[in-house]
Amino acid sequence: LFEVERLGGSISRVLQGRDMLTSSVAEQATALLKGEVPAKWDAIWEGPEDPLAYIRAAISRLGECEKLYQVANKGGVVGQVPAVDLANFYHADTFLNALRQQTARALT
């Protein structure tokens, strides 16, 4: 979401005349105007192809990650969470690999 927020701020500053239009901002803004997700965003997370759906999905996943973070900060562990939907993770494979490593360390 940082990249989304940063682009929004950059476009706003350009439109207000407070900043110069860079090639990166122009490229990303052009993609948005075409109804496409900017390549820079897609490189971070391959989400929906529609920009609005991409932002909504990213915000939804962020909320789910925040819930899991709250459980972990209260001394809970993933096994105590009633259900974890891996579809809510940006990179489920990274999460599963970290969980595998943590489990292996705990068992040795």
Side-chain angles (χ1 to χ4, degrees), residues 14-83:
V14 168
L15 292 174
Q16 293 171 3
R18 298 183 319 169
D19 209 350
M20 297 293 293
L21 179 64
T22 65
S23 60
S24 175
V25 171
E27 180 181 313
Q28 292 178 72
T30 300
L32 290 174
L33 288 171
K34 291 179 179 178
E36 301 170 354
V37 172
K40 194 169 188 175
W41 297 4
D42 205 37
I44 296 169
W45 172 60
E46 292 181 28
E49 293 181 12
D50 176 65
L52 187 55
Y54 183 98
I55 292 170
R56 285 183 178 148
I59 290 170
S60 173
R61 281 167 174 71
L62 183 62
E64 293 298 320
C65 289
E66 178 65 25
K67 288 178 191 174
L68 190 57
Y69 177 77
Q70 293 298 329
V71 169
N73 268 352
K74 291 179 182 175
V77 293
V78 174
Q80 295 173 334
V81 176

Side-chain angles (χ1 to χ4, degrees), residues 68 90 94 106:
L68 190 57
Y90 293 102
T94 303

Side-chain angles (χ1 to χ4, degrees), residues 68 71-73 75-81 84 89 93-108:
L68 190 57
V71 169
N73 268 352
V77 293
V78 174
Q80 295 173 334
V81 176
V84 175
F89 287 85
D93 55 336
T94 303
F95 170 76
L96 290 173
N97 191 39
L99 182 61
R100 179 187 59 81
Q101 290 175 4
Q102 182 179 4
T103 303
R105 285 188 198 110
L107 294 175
T108 57

